[in-house]
Amino acid sequence: MSDTAERVKKIVVEHLGVEADKVTESANFIDDLGADSLDTVELVMAFEEEFNVEIPDDAAETIVTVGDAIKFLDKSAAA
Amino acid sequence: MFDLSGRTALVTGATGGIGGAIARALHGQGATVAVSGTRPEALEALASELGERVHVLACNLADKDAVEALVPQAEETFGGSLDILVNNAGVTRDGLLMRMKDADWDDVIAVNLTAAFRLSRAAVKGMMRRRRGRIVSIGSVVGAIGNPGQVNYVSSKAGLTGLTKALAAEVATRGITANLVAPGFIASPMTDSLNETQKGAILGRVPMGRLGEGHEIAAAVVYLASDEAAYVTGQTLHVNGGMAML
């Protein structure tokens, strides 16, 4: 597992209070992990803090699964 | 009841009559209080009057950067968390609409409404994480009933009502409440300077026949800031001697 994936999953587990094994890359924040709209905003803000990046609203809207978040953050780290 | 021991509170406009009373009341219930305002010497005087559990954070709410920094400063001062935000600071630039300058409008909206928005946004971040928080804004009876010569001030206070309701709905599931206290005519240096005719005209509109006192506004803030008010959110609590029954 990449470093990004590990950090993302740690944040998701902490914020949503879900079991670590449920946080797969295909897991949908809302449908699979029980997040509500506030949770998704909190997660985006936590990602921004952890990875020291800014995630604009239109990009945040495309992050619906754990894998989406990892992909976005990997890409922004490479940029 | 209404015990605030161990809680932290930030009060803006704490050098004013109402703001000072709010700081005293929250402090009296056991809260650690950060008092903010534009006059450092007045803040220091208030702080030394209160003694322990008080911090002074001077801030000009017309300055965007200073506003953005205020909540993080308060959180740092408190050692991590801000539990109670009181958006009390307010200014007036009265004049009839036809003669009102853009700057008079902008200044009042910036301090009374935009600063409250920015402070609430900053405060809610930590409150969401801790699943607990109280945001109490000070509105005005004129925000509900209007007042000639104050389109800017009235708009800002009515705006706070809307901000409070929308915010309350957004954060309700996180144990955070947002409410408004709407004072009527309260005794202050401003009302002291009115002449007898002006005072008579004001009191003629108040069934109780007297001005309110700062501590009577502060008591409403204490209630809304307390655990006892956990189920009260998005509300306006009018404290006005009956001058408007809404």
Side-chain angles (χ1 to χ4, degrees):
Chain A
M1 199 175 1
S2 75
D3 172 55
T4 306
E6 252 174 75
R7 286 155 73 193
V8 165
K9 286 180 185 180
K10 186 160 173 279
I11 288 171
V12 173
V13 167
E14 272 171 16
H15 273 260
L16 299 181
V18 290
E19 303 283 334
D21 57 5
K22 285 208 175 133
V23 187
T24 61
E25 299 213 356
S26 62
N28 182 296
F29 290 117
I30 292 172
D31 297 336
D32 301 321
L33 301 176
D36 64 17
S37 63
L38 273 186
D39 288 319
T40 59
V41 173
E42 278 186 283
L43 281 171
V44 165
M45 287 168 66
F47 294 147
E48 288 180 327
E49 215 167 291
E50 168 74 20
F51 293 89
N52 198 21
V53 293
E54 197 161 318
I55 306 176
D57 283 347
D58 54 346
E61 278 167 27
T62 67
I63 300 177
V64 296
T65 67
V66 175
D68 293 338
I70 295 169
K71 235 176 286 166
F72 178 89
L73 292 164
D74 264 336
K75 221 187 317 166
S76 58
Chain B
M1 292 243 276
F2 316 131
D3 179 19
L4 300 176
S5 304
R7 297 295 156 88
T8 58
L10 169 63
V11 180
T12 66
T15 49
I18 292 176
I22 291 169
R24 283 185 192 92
L26 294 172
H27 184 266
Q29 295 305 114
T32 299
V33 180
V35 291
S36 182
T38 49
R39 290 179 294 134
E41 65 287 352
L43 291 172
E44 292 295 349
L46 177 62
S48 58
E49 175 202 320
L50 294 178
E52 305 271 294
R53 293 184 281 112
V54 183
H55 304 277
V56 170
L57 297 174
C59 179
N60 175 8
L61 294 183
D63 177 346
K64 179 179 183 294
D65 294 334
V67 174
E68 297 286 358
L70 184 57
V71 167
Q73 273 170 12
E75 288 175 332
E76 201 186 323
T77 305
F78 293 139
S81 69
L82 171 64
D83 300 312
I84 302 160
L85 168 66
V86 183
N87 290 310
N88 166 72
V91 296
T92 56
R93 299 277 188 277
D94 296 352
L96 294 173
L97 172 97
M98 283 187 296
R99 303 280 295 167
M100 186 172 287
K101 303 277 187 287
D102 280 5
D104 296 332
W105 171 270
D106 291 340
D107 289 352
V108 169
I109 298 294
V111 173
N112 298 12
L113 184 58
T114 308
F117 153 70
R118 291 194 175 116
L119 294 174
S120 300
R121 180 177 59 188
V124 150
K125 251 174 126 174
M127 290 175 178
M128 294 261 291
R129 234 176 268 143
R130 293 186 300 277
R131 299 290 191 265
R132 187 177 83 193
R134 294 283 184 269
I135 296 176
V136 183
S137 299
I138 306 304
S140 168
V141 65
V142 301
I145 66 175
N147 200 28
Q150 292 196 307
V151 290
N152 47 4
Y153 183 78
V154 170
S155 299
S156 73
K157 294 300 186 180
L160 281 176
T161 312
L163 186 158
T164 296
K165 290 180 180 179
L167 171 60
E170 283 187 20
V171 298
T173 57
R174 297 301 196 268
I176 304 168
T177 68
N179 290 288
L180 193 81
V181 174
F185 291 120
I186 305 302
S188 71
M190 199 177 72
T191 52
D192 289 345
S193 68
L194 299 174
N195 64 37
E196 288 309 311
T197 317
Q198 290 168 318
K199 271 191 192 156
I202 286 174
L203 294 182
R205 296 169 64 187
V206 182
M208 285 201 182
R210 66 171 178 87
L211 296 173
E213 301 285 338
H215 67 85
E216 293 172 310
I217 303 306
V221 175
V222 165
Y223 166 63
L224 292 170
S226 71
D227 286 353
E228 281 76 5
Y231 201 53
V232 178
T233 196
Q235 304 301 312
T236 297
L237 180 45
H238 290 277
V239 183
N240 61 29
M243 76 170 279
M245 304 189 189
L246 303 159

